[in-house]
Amino acid sequence: MSASLPGARALPDSQYDLSTYWGRVRHTAGLTDPRTLLVGNAGLEQAKQLLVSYKQGQIKSMTPELWHAKKLVDSTLHPDTGEKVLLPFRMSCFVLSNLVVTAGMLTPGLGNRGTIAWQVANQSLNVAINYANANKSSPLSWSKIAESYFLAVGASCGVAVGLNSVVPRLKSLTPSARLILSRLVPFAAVASAGALNVFLMRGEEMRKGIDVYPVLSAADKAKLVAEGKGEGDVESLGKSKKAATIAVAQTAVSRVLNSSPIMVIPPLVLVRLQATQWLKRNPRYTTPINLGLILVTSYAVLPLALAAFPQMQKIEADKLEGEFKGRGGQDGLVVFNRGI
């Protein structure tokens, strides 16, 4: 993220008001913009140099070019480490990466083996995304990653296979109702296991705590600049388990908010479309249309879900563990990265 770049002058957090929901939606839409994936290493280095020039005072004010550079850097680099997130696991690639797995899960006549195989693929992707975008102040050991992975896979496969077995037995339902329920099965498994995956993959954060920092006032920032330091030089106040619990819970909720509309909207629209004469005459277009509906819904919903909570979350220091009481910065607040 741009905050990790050298320079004493702080970059604005966003060109939008992050204290409002719609401001966060507009900001998150930039972070999830798939066009940022087309920028290569040279373009990223150029964007970083532009931002460094601003932070070192060589550029006096933010320009459209600088805002674009900040979007590229923020969508590519991890906010804690400053290192590039692998391309398939960036939030700007979230929809495309998941679409590949979704296409597999929607393959007709999968059976239990096929269902399990694609749920394993889905949870493998979830593990990678959650690990790549987690708060890095309390990293997971490889043994914990393996344990969390197998638990998440077991949960998703259990839900998917269980629902696949139950739906055909619901004889009291009409054929159309059973059809709708069968279409919802893959997504129900994704939603339930996706939220569980977040808790499992980031459980170490809740056990050990994550770094919290004082919220800086304008005077604090000016003092840092005078000392030739940046906000990245501010030391952590310590690790808070309560902050970690908030961070992980909010991220899990945002995953459910993201997956729920995708569970409901495309299957229901597709059932309506399948009742039309055109699609009855051309059933080969069913899967492409379904994937198209999922793609459009996913891109529309992702910024709305991720923006439900700020990524850099502020909270009163006195609401955390006793060791943080009275140690907050401006207005008694501390800030932490909740992950995304």
Side-chain angles (χ1 to χ4, degrees):
M1 192 171 264
S2 51
S4 62
L5 298 176
R9 187 182 180 193
L11 281 160
D13 292 331
S14 176
Q15 62 188 124
Y16 308 110
D17 183 1
L18 297 182
S19 66
T20 67
Y21 174 66
W22 287 112
R24 293 196 298 274
V25 169
R26 297 177 71 184
H27 175 75
T28 306
L31 297 181
T32 57
D33 186 346
R35 291 174 297 181
T36 60
L37 300 170
L38 302 176
V39 179
N41 289 333
L44 178 63
E45 288 303 317
Q46 184 179 4
K48 288 166 68 175
Q49 287 304 314
L50 273 173
L51 296 179
V52 168
S53 296
Y54 175 88
K55 294 186 74 172
Q56 293 179 345
Q58 298 167 20
I59 299 176
K60 301 304 178 186
S61 60
M62 294 296 289
T63 63
E65 187 181 15
L66 274 171
W67 283 121
H68 180 67
K70 187 175 186 300
K71 181 175 92 168
L72 290 178
V73 171
D74 285 351
S75 65
T76 305
L77 303 186
H78 193 281
D80 292 335
T81 64
E83 297 176 357
K84 282 201 299 184
V85 176
L86 287 175
L87 189 147
F89 312 137
R90 297 174 196 168
M91 297 314 294
S92 51
C93 198
F94 185 89
V95 172
L96 297 177
S97 295
N98 277 279
L99 191 67
V100 174
V101 177
T102 301
M105 289 193 293
L106 291 175
T107 303
L110 273 181
N112 285 342
R113 285 187 179 180
T115 299
I116 290 172
W118 279 109
Q119 286 298 332
V120 169
N122 176 63
Q123 286 311 309
S124 299
L125 178 62
N126 274 347
V127 164
I129 290 173
N130 289 330
Y131 178 76
N133 294 281
N135 183 297
K136 295 298 185 182
S137 59
S138 294
L140 276 173
S141 65
W142 287 110
S143 61
K144 286 292 182 184
I145 292 174
E147 178 186 338
S148 301
Y149 170 74
F150 286 113
L151 285 172
V153 168
S156 64
C157 292
V159 171
V161 173
L163 291 178
N164 269 332
S165 301
V166 168
V167 171
R169 298 174 185 173
L170 301 176
K171 303 298 184 183
S172 60
L173 298 178
T174 63
S176 61
R178 285 201 299 271
L179 176 63
I180 292 173
L181 284 176
S182 66
R183 294 278 168 78
L184 292 175
V185 165
F187 300 104
V190 168
S192 56
L196 177 62
N197 192 302
V198 174
F199 281 101
L200 292 173
M201 286 305 301
R202 298 181 60 182
E204 200 71 3
E205 295 175 33
M206 294 187 289
R207 286 187 287 271
K208 293 184 177 179
I210 58 175
D211 287 327
V212 297
Y213 301 86
V215 172
L216 301 179
S217 64
D220 294 329
K221 293 177 183 178
K223 184 179 178 181
L224 284 174
V225 172
E227 295 173 353
K229 298 179 180 178
E231 291 185 35
D233 297 316
V234 177
E235 290 188 6
S236 166
L237 296 174
K239 293 186 184 293
S240 168
K241 295 179 182 179
K242 288 185 177 181
T245 301
I246 293 170
V248 175
Q250 289 183 347
T251 302
V253 169
S254 73
R255 290 287 193 274
V256 174
L257 292 175
N258 179 62
S259 59
S260 296
I262 302 168
M263 282 174 56
V264 176
I265 297 172
L268 295 183
V269 172
L270 186 64
V271 168
R272 288 293 186 91
L273 292 176
Q274 285 179 313
T276 64
Q277 292 302 317
W278 180 82
L279 200 53
K280 286 180 179 178
R281 290 195 303 269
N282 301 278
R284 64 185 180 278
Y285 293 123
T286 299
T287 297
I289 289 173
N290 197 10
L291 289 174
L293 290 169
I294 292 168
L295 182 68
V296 171
T297 306
S298 298
Y299 272 121
V301 166
L302 184 59
L304 300 175
L306 295 182
F309 309 100
Q311 182 176 0
M312 300 306 294
Q313 185 67 270
K314 296 177 182 178
I315 189 173
E316 293 178 21
D318 292 352
K319 290 184 178 179
L320 300 179
E321 291 87 345
E323 65 186 276
F324 299 104
K325 190 171 184 179
R327 298 177 63 197
Q330 186 179 24
D331 299 326
L333 298 175
V334 295
V335 63
F336 57 87
N337 171 31
R338 74 163 177 88
I340 194 168

